Amino acid sequence: MRILGIDPGSRYLGFGVVDAIGPVVRHVAHGVVRSDGKLPLHERLADIFAELEVIVGRFAPQAVAVEGVFHHKNARSALVLGHARGVALLVAARAGLPVSEYAPARIKKSVGAGGNDGKGAVARMVATILPLPPEAGKVRADAYDALAVALCHAHQCRGGVHSSAGPRRSADGFRDRLKPAYVAGAPR
Amino acid sequence: MRILGIDPGSRYLGFGVVDAIGPVVRHVAHGVVRSDGKLPLHERLADIFAELEVIVGRFAPQAVAVEGVFHHKNARSALVLGHARGVALLVAARAGLPVSEYAPARIKKSVGAGGNDGKGAVARMVATILPLPPEAGKVRADAYDALAVALCHAHQCRGGVHSSAGPRRSADGFRDRLKPAYVAGAPR
C-alpha cells in the first residue's frame, strides 16, 4: 500500500510517500511544498492545493495520513495551521482517499523518537528506518515529519514495522512549475 | 459590484450575496451550506468546497469578504474553524476573486450593531438595512452574519452605505444537489 504522509503548514507543507509491502516499508519520495510568504493567504492556499493535487496525481497514494488535531497552545497559530490542513484534507477527499490521523506522540513513538525529542530526532530516526537517497538531507525537517506520519500509518496497518529494505536509489530530481523542493526515489 | 460574504464554519457555513451600486446595496441571496456532522472532516470539507464552487458559479461575485483571523479563545475550535475557512479562501482564490477580511467588531459596527450584541442583533440590523424576501427569517443566523460581512465590504468600498433600496422580491426557491438552505432574490 502506498501511503502519503502530510505535515501541514501554510508556509512549508511537508509530505512523504512510502510503500508498505508486508512488514517492509520503502521510501518513495519526500519533500516540502513551499508557498510564497509575500502572497496573501488565499493565494498561498491555492498554490498548496494545486501542488498537492500534482503530488497525488504523480505518486498515486492509496491512503493519506496526517498529524491529528491536537491542543495547540496558540489559538491564532492553530487557526492559520487549520487553513493549510483543511486544504490538505480536501485534496485527499477529492481524490477519494481514506484519511487517518495520528497524535504527535504516537507518530514520534512509531519511529522510535522520544516524546521530548525535537524535529532533528525524528529526521534521524526516519533516515535510520528508511534508506533515503543522498540528497535527502537537503530537505526541511517538515518532510521528515511527513515521512514519520506515513511510517506511523504503515505501522498501524501492518501491526508493526519491523524492518525496511531496498537499495539506495538516486533522486530523479523531479521539479514542477510550483517549485516544490523534494526528493523522489527512482520509479520502481 | 457584487460581493459574496462568508461566515465560515465546518458544520454551518453562512454566505450572503449583495450588489453594491453606488451608495445603494441590494440583497441578492443568502443562506447556509450545511455539511453532515456524521461525515469525517475531510469529506465535509469536500462538500463545502463543491457547494461553494456552485455558489460562486451561480452568483458570479466580483469580490469575497470574510471575517478576519482573530484571537480565538479555544485553540482546538480555532483549528477546526481554520479548516472550513481555508476551503472558503481556496474557492475564492481559484475563482481569481479578491478577498477582504474584516474584524468582527468592524463588521458589527458597519451594520449598526453594538460590540456586545449577540447574533440576533446582527440579523435584525441586516434585515433593517436590506429588504429581504419573506422566507429570509427561516435561515440560520450564520447567513445573516455573512450578509453583514458583505455589507461591511460594501461600506468600506463605497465610503459608507447610507441607504438601501429595491422592492421586496420573492425567493426563487433555488435548491441544488448539495442541499443548501438559502434564500435568493429574484433575478434582476
Side-chain angles (χ1 to χ4, degrees):
Chain A
M1 181 175 60
R2 181 160 287 190
I3 302 160
L4 169 62
I6 298 177
D7 179 45
S10 63
R11 284 296 305 282
Y12 303 101
L13 181 145
F15 72 92
V17 185
V18 301
D19 278 337
I21 307 137
V24 175
V25 181
R26 292 178 194 264
H27 169 266
V28 177
H30 67 296
V32 174
V33 175
R34 296 162 196 270
S35 61
D36 185 348
K38 292 174 192 160
L39 291 177
L41 179 58
H42 64 289
E43 292 181 24
R44 296 214 305 271
L45 295 173
D47 284 352
I48 291 169
F49 178 82
E51 178 65 17
L52 272 179
E53 287 216 320
V54 167
I55 289 165
V56 166
R58 176 180 164 85
F59 295 109
Q62 293 152 293
V64 171
V66 191
E67 199 171 88
V69 172
F70 59 97
H71 287 276
H72 219 268
K73 282 179 189 166
N74 181 309
R76 188 185 163 85
S77 63
L79 182 60
V80 174
L81 168 64
H83 288 69
R85 198 172 183 281
V87 168
L89 295 183
L90 174 66
V91 170
R94 278 168 54 87
L97 298 172
V99 175
S100 303
E101 305 191 18
Y102 296 97
R106 188 168 174 188
I107 295 165
K108 280 192 171 180
K109 194 178 171 191
S110 75
V111 297
N116 295 319
D117 296 348
K119 287 207 168 198
V122 168
R124 282 192 300 277
M125 294 308 293
V126 166
T128 303
I129 296 168
L130 292 174
L132 298 175
E135 294 85 348
K138 297 175 185 168
V139 181
R140 285 180 61 93
D142 311 80
Y144 289 94
D145 289 342
L147 279 174
V149 183
L151 282 168
C152 182
H153 186 60
H155 193 279
Q156 170 68 15
C157 293
R158 304 292 168 185
V161 177
H162 308 295
S163 65
S164 60
R168 283 185 181 270
R169 311 268 184 167
S170 61
D172 67 356
F174 170 64
R175 297 280 184 275
D176 87 359
R177 63 185 174 79
L178 281 162
K179 55 184 182 324
Y182 59 87
V183 178
R188 292 160 200 271
Chain B
M1 181 175 62
R2 182 161 286 190
I3 302 160
L4 169 63
I6 297 176
D7 179 47
S10 64
R11 284 294 306 281
Y12 303 101
L13 181 143
F15 73 92
V17 185
V18 301
D19 278 339
I21 307 136
V24 175
V25 181
R26 290 177 195 265
H27 169 267
V28 176
H30 67 296
V32 174
V33 175
R34 296 163 196 269
S35 61
D36 185 348
K38 292 174 192 160
L39 292 177
L41 180 58
H42 64 288
E43 291 180 24
R44 296 214 304 270
L45 296 173
D47 283 351
I48 292 169
F49 178 82
E51 179 65 17
L52 272 179
E53 286 216 320
V54 167
I55 289 165
V56 166
R58 175 178 165 86
F59 295 108
Q62 293 153 292
V64 171
V66 191
E67 199 171 87
V69 172
F70 59 100
H71 287 277
H72 218 269
K73 283 179 187 167
N74 182 308
R76 187 184 163 85
S77 63
L79 181 59
V80 173
L81 169 64
H83 287 69
R85 199 172 184 279
V87 168
L89 295 183
L90 174 65
V91 170
R94 279 169 52 88
L97 298 173
V99 175
S100 302
E101 305 190 17
Y102 297 97
R106 188 169 174 188
I107 295 166
K108 279 192 171 180
K109 194 179 169 190
S110 75
V111 297
N116 294 322
D117 295 348
K119 287 208 168 196
V122 168
R124 283 192 299 276
M125 294 307 294
V126 166
T128 304
I129 295 168
L130 293 173
L132 299 176
E135 296 83 349
K138 297 175 186 167
V139 181
R140 283 179 64 92
D142 312 78
Y144 289 94
D145 289 343
L147 279 175
V149 183
L151 282 168
C152 181
H153 186 61
H155 193 280
Q156 170 69 15
C157 294
R158 305 292 169 184
V161 177
H162 307 296
S163 65
S164 61
R168 283 184 181 273
R169 312 266 183 169
S170 62
D172 69 355
F174 170 65
R175 295 281 183 276
D176 87 358
R177 66 186 170 78
L178 281 160
K179 54 182 182 323
Y182 61 88
V183 179
R188 292 159 198 273

